[in-house]
Amino acid sequence: MIKNIMKNLSNLPGWRTNRKIVVIESDDWGTIRMSSKEAFNSLLKKGYPVDQCPYNKHDALESNQDLEMLFDVLNSVKGNDGNPVILTANNIVANPDFEKIKKSNFNEYHFEPFTETLKHYPEHDRVMDLYREGINNKLIMPQFHGREHLNVTLWMKALQRKSEDEMLAFDLGIFSSKVAQKYGYQNEYMDTFDFKKLKELEFQEKAIIEGLKLFKHIWNFDSESFIAPCYIWHSQLEKVLKENGVKYIQGLINQFEPREGDSWSYSKKYHYQGQKNSLGQRYLIRNAFFEPTINPRFDWESDCLKRIDLAFKFRKPAIVSSHRLNYMGYLNPKNRSENLLKLKFKPK
């Protein structure tokens, strides 16, 4: 009952349209997660519960076959206008340069474009050609998700104190092998724009400027929208996003804004569909979800269709959240094949 009320409330305020619009927003494209099946098995053998985390178990840098199979499904589903489905691929444009960081004795952070990261992986040599083909065929449209999907400040501090967990993960080419609970930190270094000290915003602003510049260099166009990793960001960052061409901010109803202090705490800011901030940017709010890898026992197809129908009844666009891990098969091909069938699901 409460869930149904919340679903209705999320569609009440804000922009309306008589058009039946479905948008698929998909995060994490370009970032590393688990580097290989060998790395996964090594961590599992050492007692790290990586098999209990769907991201560590299934998510990895997108491969040639991942994109090929996804595009086949997107191209097979047409709207009333006869055009195929377009997936908004929210792109992380860089990853840590592990070799340079190690050469600096962990005193300096270095990053590399994700196009360079692709060269370190064995089944990824055609990824950028496939991306360009997908863009030309209007199957996929990259947008900005961040320079890295990584809290650089916290990760580097862990490496500098030679934290055993993080050093082991580092040697396997990943951020973290498990949640760093011993330091009261729950997000496994994925929360790019979280902080404890307000002064860290200066570093984050620089990363946004560099990231958007790199985004344009890679794709040859500017990103008009942005989605913060883990839905955590300080509103002050919206100004630098605006100054660098970002008109729309993707997210959930709630924005988690970091508060300065010794413990992890956030202010929740409520947003609604099409809401304008003081800078004139609009918030795009996700009101449907298709995340079968997160919970394989849940009926995501039916729930997503119900949420889309509800959005239409309130004359709202249906903005579907569906992360990259649902379509990745580089580590586990079955994950990809099963979820692509669900994505193509047609009700009787």
Side-chain angles (χ1 to χ4, degrees):
M1 181 66 177
I2 294 176
K3 286 184 178 180
N4 288 333
I5 291 173
M6 291 304 295
K7 287 179 186 178
N8 288 331
L9 287 175
S10 68
N11 283 300
L12 280 174
W15 183 76
R16 299 181 187 277
T17 178
N18 290 322
R19 296 171 61 199
K20 293 184 176 181
I21 300 171
V22 178
V23 178
I24 303 177
E25 294 179 350
S26 185
D27 300 347
D28 302 342
W29 299 84
T31 190
I32 58 174
R33 188 68 187 219
M34 187 57 64
S35 56
S36 67
K37 196 70 175 177
E38 291 74 22
F40 176 86
N41 290 332
S42 175
L43 290 167
L44 196 62
K45 188 176 180 180
K46 292 179 185 294
Y48 292 93
V50 286
D51 57 332
Q52 301 302 308
C53 172
Y55 285 92
N56 284 329
K57 188 175 181 179
H58 299 291
D59 199 20
L61 189 63
E62 56 269 26
S63 70
N64 301 334
Q65 194 169 16
D66 290 333
L67 290 181
E68 288 172 337
M69 293 181 68
L70 174 63
F71 290 170
D72 284 344
V73 170
L74 295 177
N75 198 38
S76 71
V77 181
K78 304 292 196 298
N80 289 335
D81 56 6
N83 294 322
V85 177
I86 302 176
L87 183 139
T88 302
N90 292 312
N91 176 219
I92 294 294
V93 296
N95 292 295
D97 188 322
F98 290 86
E99 185 178 345
K100 286 185 178 179
I101 293 170
K102 189 173 184 177
K103 282 184 177 179
S104 77
N105 195 29
F106 305 100
N107 290 314
E108 299 172 0
Y109 176 73
H110 298 272
F111 64 87
E112 64 181 11
F114 89 94
T115 50
E116 289 299 311
T117 311
L118 288 168
K119 297 175 183 178
H120 307 321
Y121 284 69
E123 299 173 22
H124 300 64
D125 59 315
R126 293 187 294 109
V127 163
M128 290 311 297
D129 289 336
L130 288 164
Y131 263 127
R132 294 184 188 98
E133 182 181 323
I135 293 170
N136 289 336
N137 292 331
K138 297 184 178 179
L139 299 173
I140 198 165
M141 176 53 65
Q143 290 291 281
F144 186 59
H145 192 15
R147 193 183 67 183
E148 302 92 351
H149 206 313
L150 169 67
N151 194 310
V152 171
T153 302
L154 288 171
W155 186 58
M156 289 299 295
K157 285 180 179 178
L159 294 175
Q160 287 162 6
R161 65 173 173 258
K162 299 296 189 290
S163 174
E164 180 181 355
D165 299 330
E166 282 71 16
M167 293 302 292
L168 175 62
F170 184 95
D171 289 338
L172 293 170
I174 56 180
F175 304 152
S176 181
S177 52
K178 66 175 183 178
V179 175
Q181 292 176 332
K182 67 182 73 173
Y183 305 113
Y185 179 54
Q186 301 295 317
N187 283 316
E188 212 166 344
Y189 302 104
M190 304 303 290
D191 48 0
T192 307
F193 299 110
D194 204 351
F195 61 76
K196 283 188 176 182
K197 301 295 182 183
L198 198 61
K199 63 182 181 181
E200 292 175 34
L201 281 171
E202 185 177 345
F203 175 85
Q204 294 178 1
E205 289 172 350
K206 180 182 177 184
I208 286 174
I209 294 169
E210 290 177 341
L212 284 166
K213 187 179 295 185
L214 183 53
F215 182 97
K216 184 170 185 178
H217 176 75
I218 292 170
W219 301 112
N220 294 316
F221 57 83
D222 292 313
S223 179
E224 294 191 356
S225 70
F226 163 76
I227 173 73
C230 305
Y231 310 108
I232 298 171
W233 78 98
H234 196 281
S235 297
Q236 185 175 316
L237 296 177
E238 293 173 4
K239 184 174 184 291
V240 73
L241 288 164
K242 171 73 173 181
E243 291 170 348
N244 288 272
V246 171
K247 303 174 184 176
Y248 307 98
I249 299 172
Q250 303 174 36
L252 302 177
I253 289 176
N254 289 316
Q255 168 191 351
F256 299 93
E257 184 169 74
R259 292 189 295 208
E260 189 171 38
D262 294 330
S263 61
W264 303 107
S265 61
Y266 309 95
S267 299
K268 280 188 180 180
K269 288 191 171 182
Y270 173 76
H271 298 300
Y272 57 83
Q273 199 68 265
Q275 176 191 2
K276 272 189 178 183
N277 65 12
S278 61
L279 302 168
Q281 295 162 307
R282 291 191 181 273
Y283 297 100
L284 306 178
I285 305 303
R286 298 174 177 183
N287 52 7
F289 306 88
F290 182 73
E291 307 281 8
T293 299
I294 300 294
N295 182 1
R297 285 175 285 220
F298 184 71
D299 187 356
W300 291 95
E301 301 98 299
S302 297
D303 182 75
C304 189
L305 288 170
K306 287 177 183 176
R307 288 175 181 268
I308 290 171
D309 185 57
L310 186 63
F312 290 164
K313 284 180 179 177
F314 282 91
R315 295 171 51 217
K316 294 297 179 71
I319 301 182
V320 182
S321 174
S322 189
H323 284 67
R324 178 188 70 176
L325 86 158
N326 299 293
Y327 313 113
M328 295 297 96
Y330 174 62
L331 298 176
N332 298 294
K334 187 178 179 183
N335 175 68
R336 177 181 59 209
S337 58
E338 288 184 349
N339 291 337
L340 286 175
L341 283 175
K342 293 176 182 179
L343 181 66
K344 199 175 179 179
F345 168 78
K346 293 182 180 180
K348 295 180 180 179

